[in-house]
């Protein structure tokens, strides 16, 4: 069981008692990493019995058959009790019954698996013939994901057991194009059969970044996002009638729902993630620098160019069309926005642009089959630019321990007239920085973690008004200036950035600040419209994972 840091025994006592959690200790950081529980299954041995009147030869033959079948069943049962057995729940979509080719991919943590052949699939006690293919590799050479296809007779929900690290004991299938497993070729209506992975598997893999299953925070001080993030209210059925409005596409809804799926593991959230990511790809025309997204009137707007959803989709399905689209969107982003900022009060430089740029380059680097080095170079250049901005502006500000990515409000599209930053948009940049750090490792990782800590400290010190509410835009450098936020829709983003900073510093003052904002999110947080839901539920939902 995970325990989460709490800053105030008094303010959270009622919640903690209700949840029967451990006693509260101020400024204590307890980290206890769970292992994924071993999957378990009781498989009935299949055996034939000899007829009482059979000849001695027939009895002997039946005995051999019984021994072989029992041994096969025992092997399957042994596999299912393996610590590396994963449950995959199959849920047919409407009409998706009968014999079906089921396609899915198992995302993997670094170092978990190096050979794609070391995957077994068991259904109802029997090994299934399967096709499998490795999808991209981590920096250490291990696989990021393995695409799997099996043939299953589906009449309703059923369960597969996937054993990572063991060779299949059944025959091989030939891989078919993913399109053949979908209702329509572009995927906008989803697959014939959904394959649901557990939140524990998705969290362990890191495919969607650092995240914690929603079940871990139920009844704790960190369950405010369960109230704010109403995935059913804002699902694909609610989105489709509004899709001509560019605003509802903001903040990458595919990623928002894929991260929701990672928290919840439910078919409804996966259905929206799948469909909306497919819709985003289906609207794309052209490729590379000549790519044009399908969002109305936004072909040249960096705020709408997302590779993250496409790369995640590829790593969960093996559909190469999404990998290729992720690379092309990154190419296009690199052609329409530049990460360097020169201290001007004009132009366009915000943490949102910077974050999505870095996410685009890093995810393209992660999944590319032939241009990873190119995207890595672009990501490196972007991070160099961001670190320079953090160290330089506002000019004359000398604190090296608490600094946001300060830029003039004019470059942010605002008329406030001073240097500062956006606490809530900083969450998107923190997303990109943290992902980049985990991919690059070494000295790069250390530099970026130090940068995140400085950002969190700056927001904790200067990012809140007198009531403790995050500013919409905060001044940097001890000015005491900030733009008050009239709404209750940005509690979580500031908490998220500070939680990440706490994770990499163990600074108790940051933990206290996170606890204050999380408590206010529970009391006041709301997402009154789709765009608000999109930004609140894409990044900040990972706050609990950084506070373990």
């Amino acid at each position: 069981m995970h325990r989460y840091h709490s800053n105030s025994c008094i303010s959270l006592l009622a919640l903690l008692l209700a949840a029967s959690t451990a006693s509260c200790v101020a400024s204590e950081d307890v980290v206890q990493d769970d292992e994924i529980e071993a999957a378990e299954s009781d498989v009935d041995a299949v055996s034939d019995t000899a007829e009482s009147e059979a000849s001695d030869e027939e009895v002997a033959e039946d005995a051999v058959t019984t021994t072989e079948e029992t041994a096969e069943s025992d092997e399957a049962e042994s596999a299912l009790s393996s610590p590396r057995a994963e449950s995959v729940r199959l849920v047919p979509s409407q009409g998706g019954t009968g014999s079906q080719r089921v396609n899915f991919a198992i995302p993997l943590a670094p170092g978990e698996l190096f050979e794609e052949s070391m995957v077994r699939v068991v259904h109802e006690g029997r090994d299934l013939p399967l096709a499998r293919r490795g999808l991209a590799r981590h920096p250490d050479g291990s696989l990021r994901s393995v695409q799997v296809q099996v043939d299953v007779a589906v009449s309703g929900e059923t369960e597969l057991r996937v054993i990572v690290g063991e060779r299949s004991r059944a025959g091989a299938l030939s891989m078919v194009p993913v399109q053949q497993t979908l209702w329509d070729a572009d995927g906008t209506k989803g697959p014939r059969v959904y394959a649901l992975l557990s939140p524990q598997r998705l969290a362990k893999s890191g495919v969607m970044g650092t995240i914690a299953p929603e079940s871990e925070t139920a009844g704790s001080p960190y369950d405010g996002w369960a109230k704010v993030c109403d995935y059913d209210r804002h699902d694909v059925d609610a989105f489709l009638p509004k899709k001509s409005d560019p605003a509802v596409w903001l903040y990458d809804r595919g990623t928002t729902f894929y991260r929701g799926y990672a928290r919840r593991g439910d078919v409804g959230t996966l259905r929206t993630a799948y469909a909306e990511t497919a819709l985003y790809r289906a609207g794309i025309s052209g490729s590379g620098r000549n790519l044009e997204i399908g969002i109305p009137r936004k072909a040249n707007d960096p705020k709408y160019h997302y590779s993250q959803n496409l790369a995640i989709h590829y790593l969960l399905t093996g559909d190469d069309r999404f990998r290729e689209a992720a690379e092309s969107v990154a190419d296009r982003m690199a052609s329409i926005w530049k990460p360097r900022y020169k201290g001007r009060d004009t132009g366009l430089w915000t943490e949102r642009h910077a974050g999505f740029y870095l996410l685009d380059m890093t995810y393209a680097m992660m999944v590319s089959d032939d241009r990873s080095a190119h995207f890595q170079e672009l990501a490196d250049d972007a991070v160099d630019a961001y670190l320079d901005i953090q160290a330089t502006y506002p000019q004359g500000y000398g604190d090296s321990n608490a600094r946001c990515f300060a830029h003039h409000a004019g470059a942010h599209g605002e008329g406030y007239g001073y240097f500062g930053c956006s606490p809530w948009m900083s969450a998107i940049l923190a997303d990109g920085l943290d992902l980049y750090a985990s991919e690059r490792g070494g000295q790069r990782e250390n530099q970026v973690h130090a940068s995140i800590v400085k950002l969190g400290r700056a927001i904790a010190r200067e990012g809140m008004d007198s009531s403790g509410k995050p500013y919409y835009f905060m001044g940097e450098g001890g000015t005491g200036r900030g733009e008050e936020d009239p709404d209750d829709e940005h509690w979580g983003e500031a908490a998220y950035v500070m939680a990440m900073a706490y994770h990499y510093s163990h600074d108790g003052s940051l933990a206290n600040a996170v606890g204050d904002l999380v408590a206010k999110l529970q009391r006041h947080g709301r997402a009154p419209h789709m765009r608000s839901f999109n930004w609140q539920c894409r990044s900040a939902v990972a706050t609990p994972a950084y506070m373990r």
Side-chain angles (χ1 to χ4, degrees), residues 245-399:
D245 177 6
V248 300
W249 294 82
L250 280 167
Y251 307 102
D252 186 0
R253 279 178 56 83
T255 293
T256 297
F257 273 88
Y258 267 128
R259 297 192 93 185
Y261 165 55
R263 296 175 63 225
R264 299 171 50 156
D266 65 306
V267 69
T269 311
L270 175 59
R271 170 178 166 265
T272 292
Y274 203 115
E276 293 208 27
T277 301
L279 280 165
Y280 186 81
R281 192 200 70 85
I284 291 172
S285 59
S287 62
R289 296 170 63 91
N290 297 318
L291 173 142
E292 185 170 318
I293 59 173
I295 300 173
R297 305 178 298 283
K298 298 300 177 182
N300 296 312
D301 193 332
K303 298 193 302 294
Y304 294 86
H305 285 72
Y306 315 127
S307 287
Q308 186 175 10
N309 61 343
L310 300 165
I312 290 171
H313 190 94
Y314 166 68
L315 292 171
L316 294 181
T317 66
D319 193 330
D320 287 303
R321 299 173 298 172
F322 289 78
R323 172 185 54 76
E324 293 164 358
E327 295 180 65
S328 284
V329 169
D331 282 332
R332 177 62 175 170
M333 175 66 113
S335 74
I336 62 175
W337 191 82
K338 304 302 177 186
R340 296 205 171 268
Y341 172 66
K342 298 181 180 179
R344 297 172 180 164
D345 59 0
T346 58
L348 188 64
W349 199 100
T350 73
E351 296 92 344
R352 172 165 49 176
H353 292 80
F356 281 127
Y357 183 99
L358 185 55
L359 286 166
D360 284 355
M361 302 311 141
T362 307
Y363 268 103
M365 175 188 79
M366 289 163 59
V367 302
S368 177
D369 60 341
D370 58 356
R371 294 198 297 145
S372 287
H374 168 69
F375 292 115
Q376 178 178 302
E377 182 178 357
L378 291 171
D380 287 346
D381 288 345
V383 170
D384 286 343
Y386 302 161
L387 296 182
D388 182 63
I389 292 165
Q390 188 178 36
T392 304
Y393 300 103
Q395 292 182 341
Y397 175 52
D399 192 334

Side-chain angles (χ1 to χ4, degrees), residues 172 176 427 461 520:
V176 304
R461 189 172 70 185
K520 290 170 181 173

